[in-house]
Amino acid sequence: MSRGPELIITEKDNAARRIAEILSGGSATAERKNDVNVYKWGGKRCIGLSGHVVGVDFPPEYSDWRDVEPVELIDAPVRKTPTQEGIVSALRTLARNASRVTIATDYDREGELIGKEAYELVREVNEDAPIDRVRFSSITENEVREAFADPDDLDFDLAAAGEARQVIDLTWGAALTRFLSLSARQLGNDFISVGRVQGPTLKLIVDREREIRAFDPEAYWELFGDLSKTGGDPFEAQYFLENDRGNEAERVWDEAVAGTLTEALAAADDAVVDDVRRRTRTDEPPTPFNTTAYIRAAGSLGYSAQRAMSIAEELYTAGYVTYPRTDNTVYPDDLEPRELLEELSGDVAFGDDAASLLDRDDGEIEPTEGDEETTDHPPIHPTGDLPGASDLSDDEREVYELIVRRFLATCAPAAEWERLRVVALANGEATAIANEADPLAALRNPDDAEGTPELAADGGLRLKANGKRLLEAGYHEVYPYRSSDERIVPDVEVGETLSLSGRRTEAKETQPPRRYGQSRLIEEMEKRGVGTKATRHRTLEKLYDRGYVEGDPPRPTRLAESVVEAAEGFAEHVVSEEMTAQLERDMQAIAAGEKGYDEVTAASRELLDRVFEDLTESREAIGDQLQESLKADKTLGPCPECGSDLLVRQSRAGSYFVGCDGYPDCEYTLPLPSTGKPLILDEACDDHDLHHVKMLAGRKTFVHGCPRCKADEADEAEDEVIGACPDCGTGAASPRDEGGETADAGGELAIKRLRSGSRLVGCTRYPDCDYSLPLPRRGEIEVTEETCEEHDLPHLRVHSGDEPWELGCPICNYREFRAREEGSELQTVEGIGERTAEKLEGAGITGVDELKSADPDDLAGDVDGVGPDTVRDWQAKAD
DNA sequence: GCAAGGTC
């Protein structure tokens, strides 16, 4: 047996570094091998993989989509090949002379499989060294030491469960994806994919869209009035009816009854308090963050799921927060909340709040726990290493504070609310009139299957008001992301008379269910067991990339509907969450030794064989349907010249425009705005029968409308001259170019409207002179009497929204705009956020070039809270 | 070029 060093293998570099630190007592040194860190101390080496370093795939003879029938993939062999050559070869080199190997990958099923992959790579070069497995769910001194003191063996059954999943996912995914793509002749980048996770996720979105489309709105009425004590503030109360089962109804489903009740309400000047109920309610602090809860909270701050995960990843690699991909909602025993709170109390933003939790009278700190306790990683929480003032961008800072405050909240006391419910009976004529109405009709909800309930004994017209008051702010003191708004209803007594004013009846309609937002979808996926903490947000991204959903909240395209329909008809399994559930059961059975890998994969292949029997017969019909949908997703409406369809197309340069399906016979086109990606809306133009277009461009998203209307408006609009062109007009200072053309060619500046919908101030001699200044897309532009002395141009005023705003001189405006852009250019440097950029601008640094050429010591003297080293750091990063 | 699952 070899007497070489002992080798420890982890799932990722970060874990390798920390484990080396713990086991070596801090003496480990790092060394690069093939771009991989190897940590070294005494007779030990520790290397981190990068998740799976080998992948499953078919042999190369199956790689041509046209040569191989998709059905052949079902029984094709599946191989494992290295996908991370550098890491694999480093591992082989280290393993060759290792005397012992310890697998320390993550403590979950996928970690066991990654461990087995490492095991096999080791065995290829070293037949003898004993190979152990250690398991721990958080990388802390105690857990790691205990695990290494008592190592275990790899669980080959558990790893085999993971391998079964790999093979089943690959065969189903590849065979069906190729089948759909080939049948619709979509072979380039626009192939049509399906899989065990994207299938049910897409069906979830499409099913909701079907519900929305099938929804039939129902009219109803609600009545309100404002009550007040003498001299007191008014508070809103709502009409309701209560039956003998104690059920309350606020909605009136009959227009005539609503009319009578409105009359009754009008007849009352005051109302007598009939009932006052007061109770306190405990509002428990939130549970620790797992990935899904974190994505949801970041979502309510306006971050997409993708963005939230990438920021968390940054914070993790920088060492400020723990691993962001976790299912766990229970802190490990090792976590000392008191110590962590002490470390956090050093921060300027949340330090006082952290300290306030340490100062509580009862002294005890007992963090909350969620329902999900797993072995993978701890819940996401701050590490206690505080970032410096300029270490984070603004977004990173905001998200970091969210994670910190979530931790604070889990250590904070519950909040206490007082709920106050007041019921008042309208006085005067109201009762008599109200009793004329058929209150049964008022209470009858068409959706209520229980039938008509008995009425409460007393008639009349009753109003209720619900108030809530925060008695103990509790965790809200440290966690401002959940509403702690109060609704004040004053203290009143039974029998007290309140005056009634502000009576109103609101006509409403029932609303269709809402589309799922991104974080809501991820929550649904988790609830249904579809995907994992590390993949759910990526699956969503994939649906966007594949052209299955657009916009936010994601809306399915026609293509998505056709794919789901085709799957429902022929391969229901792949759009059903039951596929994952079944697989999960099989994996449990393999892990428990009750079923074999071969048995499970063979059964899955048989099922896929049967799917293909039906599918093959309908190949053409499915292909036609998919192609039709692909075209429908791009169709705006009829071409005015030839009657074919107008389609959204993309030029070779990448810009979007509207072109005719009859091209090249018909060359009709319309321009689209240059910013954003076009989304075709349901709404259509009455004049041209063309669908409206929305341009998706993040925060700059806007509705363009009917592209033909926009082009017509531009054609009809007169240019409005506002002055001389500074490049070629009267008084222009210098010769324009060496082509002999001189200044003072008589060019004038005019407000112009382009066919693409944008507006600008440009030279009347365009295209000979291309001087131009941008104008906002929205609002009426008024040319005022006021003149800019510097540029001899009128000030402009923009009328959009409620208040007109002053754009001022268009040249000055553009100059300010450019300055702002330059300022924000600073933010492209890692570590510089909005606030830091502002400070730098205050010191006269407005662009990256200026930053690079600045003297670090001088600049540090001019900017608060920034040292020369930080400046040098920025300068290095800006290069 | 297909999936889903790791990690960066």
Side-chain angles (χ1 to χ4, degrees):
Chain A
M1 201 199 287
S2 136
R3 299 180 54 79
E6 294 184 21
L7 176 63
I8 297 163
I9 303 168
T10 69
E11 189 156 323
K12 42 189 171 279
D13 174 62
N14 222 308
R17 200 190 65 241
R18 290 172 56 205
I19 284 167
E21 215 172 85
I22 289 170
L23 294 180
S24 72
S27 71
T29 56
E31 197 172 86
R32 298 287 281 178
K33 211 183 196 92
N34 292 345
D35 248 18
V36 189
N37 288 327
V38 177
Y39 302 90
K40 192 174 162 184
W41 70 100
K44 315 243 181 182
R45 304 281 183 279
C46 184
I47 183 173
L49 308 177
S50 183
H52 292 287
V53 292
V54 295
V56 289
D57 211 345
F58 302 111
E61 58 266 32
Y62 289 87
S63 59
D64 192 315
W65 291 32
R66 263 174 284 243
D67 279 1
V68 182
E69 280 296 320
V71 70
E72 290 179 54
L73 295 177
I74 300 174
D75 291 306
V78 173
R79 311 239 150 108
K80 277 188 197 180
T81 45
T83 49
Q84 305 268 5
E85 295 286 356
I87 298 176
V88 168
S89 74
L91 179 62
R92 284 193 177 120
T93 311
L94 289 167
R96 196 161 286 130
N97 64 347
S99 60
R100 172 176 291 274
V101 174
T102 305
I103 309 255
T105 47
D106 290 355
Y107 187 8
D108 54 21
R109 184 171 54 221
E110 217 58 25
E112 209 67 22
L113 175 52
I114 291 167
K116 190 200 168 193
E117 289 160 5
Y119 175 98
E120 284 171 343
L121 291 167
V122 169
R123 275 287 173 258
E124 281 174 22
V125 296
N126 185 331
E127 291 178 5
D128 311 316
I131 302 179
D132 295 328
R133 162 76 159 136
V134 288
R135 297 185 179 86
F136 43 83
S137 50
S138 66
I139 307 179
T140 55
E141 180 102 27
N142 278 342
E143 281 217 35
V144 169
R145 286 199 183 281
E146 272 173 36
F148 277 83
D150 185 21
D152 197 357
D153 293 322
L154 254 182
D155 184 343
F156 288 92
D157 285 338
L158 183 56
E163 287 174 320
R165 178 200 60 71
Q166 287 184 315
V167 167
I168 290 168
D169 282 344
L170 177 65
T171 46
W172 280 76
L176 289 170
T177 294
R178 286 197 196 178
F179 177 88
L180 292 180
S181 304
L182 283 162
S183 71
R185 284 178 275 283
Q186 289 284 305
L187 289 189
N189 290 322
D190 300 325
F191 61 86
I192 298 169
S193 67
V194 276
R196 176 177 57 83
V197 174
Q198 34 176 310
T201 307
L202 195 56
K203 182 166 156 58
L204 205 62
I205 298 172
V206 167
D207 278 345
R208 177 53 63 93
E209 203 67 19
R210 288 167 171 164
E211 279 176 55
I212 293 171
R213 207 169 295 152
F215 188 81
D216 194 7
E218 194 87 34
Y220 67 89
W221 290 262
E222 287 182 327
L223 290 84
F224 300 89
D226 294 327
L227 296 174
S228 52
K229 286 166 83 96
T230 321
D233 290 332
F235 56 97
E236 182 176 84
Q238 181 171 18
Y239 165 81
F240 76 107
L241 207 58
E242 192 173 6
N243 68 19
D244 57 356
R245 295 204 298 259
N247 293 332
E248 287 178 17
E250 299 85 21
R251 296 178 173 187
V252 180
W253 300 96
D254 182 302
E255 189 169 11
V257 173
T260 308
L261 291 171
T262 303
E263 258 180 70
L265 193 60
D269 289 325
D270 43 38
V272 177
V273 176
D274 187 42
D275 187 32
V276 176
R277 249 178 278 170
R278 203 175 256 129
R279 62 195 166 89
T280 57
R281 195 180 66 81
T282 306
D283 172 10
E284 296 293 344
T287 54
F289 265 157
N290 64 6
T291 302
T292 305
Y294 160 69
I295 287 176
R296 180 184 176 169
S300 68
L301 293 179
Y303 294 93
S304 72
Q306 281 295 315
R307 180 84 184 121
M309 284 314 289
S310 97
I311 293 175
E313 181 74 35
E314 290 283 327
L315 294 172
Y316 157 69
T317 38
Y320 303 128
V321 305
T322 56
Y323 193 67
R325 293 182 278 268
T326 176
D327 287 324
N328 204 347
T329 53
V330 179
Y331 294 128
D333 292 339
D334 286 54
L335 184 91
E336 295 290 348
R338 189 165 282 281
E339 278 171 30
L340 189 46
L341 287 172
E342 263 157 28
E343 286 168 322
L344 296 170
S345 64
D347 187 271
V348 281
F350 46 74
D352 289 350
D353 286 335
S356 74
L357 296 175
L358 288 167
D359 293 343
R360 284 176 52 207
D361 309 336
D362 46 11
E364 197 59 28
I365 294 175
E366 192 68 47
T368 57
E369 294 186 353
D371 294 333
E372 193 69 20
E373 186 167 12
T374 61
T375 55
D376 56 355
H377 296 89
I380 307 169
H381 65 79
T383 57
D385 262 349
L386 298 180
S390 56
D391 289 336
L392 301 180
S393 71
D394 285 2
D395 285 357
E396 287 165 352
R397 167 75 53 188
E398 187 178 24
V399 168
Y400 174 65
E401 191 164 333
L402 168 70
I403 294 172
V404 170
R405 290 190 173 280
R406 180 64 162 224
F407 170 73
L408 300 186
T410 60
C411 298
E416 289 285 336
W417 291 89
E418 183 193 65
R419 300 268 183 169
L420 175 61
R421 179 188 141 101
V422 171
V423 174
L425 199 55
N427 258 343
E429 290 288 301
T431 303
I433 302 177
N435 287 342
E436 278 173 30
D438 173 8
L440 292 177
L443 194 60
R444 189 181 59 229
N445 180 340
D447 300 331
D448 186 358
E450 285 182 47
T452 309
E454 293 296 311
L455 271 181
D458 58 341
L461 199 147
R462 303 207 289 168
L463 298 161
K464 64 172 177 182
N466 288 303
K468 52 177 191 170
R469 204 193 313 252
L470 197 53
L471 300 177
E472 290 287 342
Y475 74 89
H476 290 289
E477 300 262 26
V478 298
Y479 196 72
Y481 312 99
R482 285 191 182 175
S483 167
S484 56
D485 292 347
E486 300 188 318
R487 199 167 47 236
I488 299 301
V489 167
D491 288 320
V492 294
E493 278 166 33
V494 172
E496 189 175 343
T497 300
L498 303 171
S499 69
L500 173 63
S501 61
R503 308 162 193 84
R504 58 200 176 276
T505 299
E506 292 180 8
K508 296 185 174 179
E509 273 189 347
T510 52
Q511 297 296 309
R514 289 226 300 258
R515 292 197 179 104
Y516 294 114
Q518 293 192 4
S519 42
R520 197 44 221 297
L521 265 172
I522 286 171
E523 285 178 332
E524 278 307 307
M525 291 169 78
E526 184 182 45
K527 198 171 102 193
R528 293 153 196 260
V530 170
T532 72
K533 66 221 170 186
T535 59
R536 292 186 194 109
H537 66 280
R538 275 169 26 197
T539 299
L540 209 50
E541 188 70 0
K542 194 173 269 182
L543 298 184
Y544 280 100
D545 288 348
R546 299 281 197 266
Y548 289 153
V549 297
E550 294 173 313
D552 187 17
R555 192 190 81 169
T557 59
R558 298 291 296 270
L559 174 65
E561 291 180 36
S562 283
V563 169
V564 170
E565 275 166 31
E568 284 169 338
F570 303 96
E572 206 271 331
H573 204 46
V574 84
V575 284
S576 156
E577 53 204 65
E578 172 56 21
M579 181 170 178
T580 295
Q582 172 68 47
L583 181 61
E584 200 59 49
R585 287 194 294 273
D586 285 339
M587 285 196 289
Q588 302 263 355
I590 295 173
E594 294 158 7
K595 276 187 180 179
Y597 164 91
D598 289 331
E599 183 188 349
V600 167
T601 52
S604 177
R605 287 185 162 114
E606 265 171 48
L607 184 57
L608 186 54
D609 262 327
R610 287 203 292 277
V611 164
F612 262 83
E613 278 168 24
D614 294 348
L615 215 46
T616 315
E617 275 176 35
S618 308
R619 191 168 184 150
E620 270 187 42
I622 292 170
D624 289 348
Q625 178 61 43
L626 290 171
Q627 283 185 315
E628 218 170 275
S629 304
L630 279 162
K631 200 179 142 197
D633 281 331
K634 293 186 284 193
T635 303
L636 284 181
C639 170
E641 286 188 2
C642 74
S644 310
D645 286 323
L646 285 184
L647 308 173
V648 170
R649 307 205 118 127
Q650 210 167 359
S651 75
R652 234 172 253 170
S655 54
Y656 295 97
F657 67 99
V658 176
C660 183
D661 196 30
Y663 182 84
D665 294 334
C666 174
E667 294 185 340
Y668 186 83
T669 63
L670 288 168
L672 286 173
S674 53
T675 42
K677 186 175 180 291
L679 171 69
I680 298 172
L681 300 177
D682 287 335
E683 191 186 358
C685 168
D686 290 337
D687 295 338
H688 307 116
D689 213 13
L690 296 183
H691 282 277
H692 285 190
V693 176
K694 184 176 186 174
M695 301 303 291
L696 300 176
R699 284 178 191 170
K700 290 182 182 163
T701 294
F702 61 94
V703 174
H704 175 62
C706 165
R708 223 181 122 188
C709 287
K710 290 288 164 183
D712 287 352
E713 281 166 24
D715 290 341
E716 285 157 20
E718 295 274 333
D719 291 354
E720 187 175 2
V721 174
I722 58 169
C725 173
D727 266 7
C728 70
T730 315
S734 57
R736 196 164 168 274
D737 59 31
E738 62 275 13
E741 195 177 348
T742 54
D744 205 357
E748 292 179 303
L749 282 191
I751 296 175
K752 298 181 170 195
R753 181 177 283 276
L754 306 187
R755 303 188 88 232
S756 65
S758 55
R759 286 184 302 194
L760 49 78
V761 171
C763 182
T764 49
R765 288 183 56 252
Y766 181 86
D768 291 330
C769 172
D770 59 5
Y771 185 88
S772 82
L773 303 163
L775 285 176
R777 191 170 289 280
R778 293 182 172 284
E780 220 35 52
I781 293 176
E782 179 195 348
V783 180
T784 68
E785 299 295 317
E786 204 176 334
T787 308
C788 170
E789 289 187 12
E790 187 184 349
H791 303 109
D792 200 24
L793 288 176
H795 281 197
L796 304 181
R797 184 176 296 143
V798 184
H799 296 264
S800 67
D802 298 337
E803 282 285 298
W805 59 277
E806 304 295 328
L807 185 141
C809 160
I811 295 181
C812 295
N813 173 265
Y814 184 51
R815 195 162 59 191
E816 285 159 25
F817 169 77
R818 283 271 297 271
R820 277 200 301 278
E821 287 287 293
E822 289 224 352
S824 69
E825 182 194 289
L826 284 171
Q827 293 174 41
T828 59
V829 178
E830 204 185 317
I832 300 186
E834 199 181 316
R835 274 180 285 253
T836 314
E838 267 176 35
K839 281 198 213 166
L840 287 169
E841 279 162 42
I845 306 288
T846 54
V848 170
D849 285 337
E850 285 161 287
L851 175 68
K852 282 199 281 192
S853 56
D855 180 277
D857 292 299
D858 282 356
L859 187 55
D862 290 343
V863 184
D864 244 19
V866 171
D869 284 341
T870 309
V871 177
R872 273 187 275 270
D873 200 35
W874 288 335
Q875 291 175 331
K877 280 173 177 158
D879 267 333

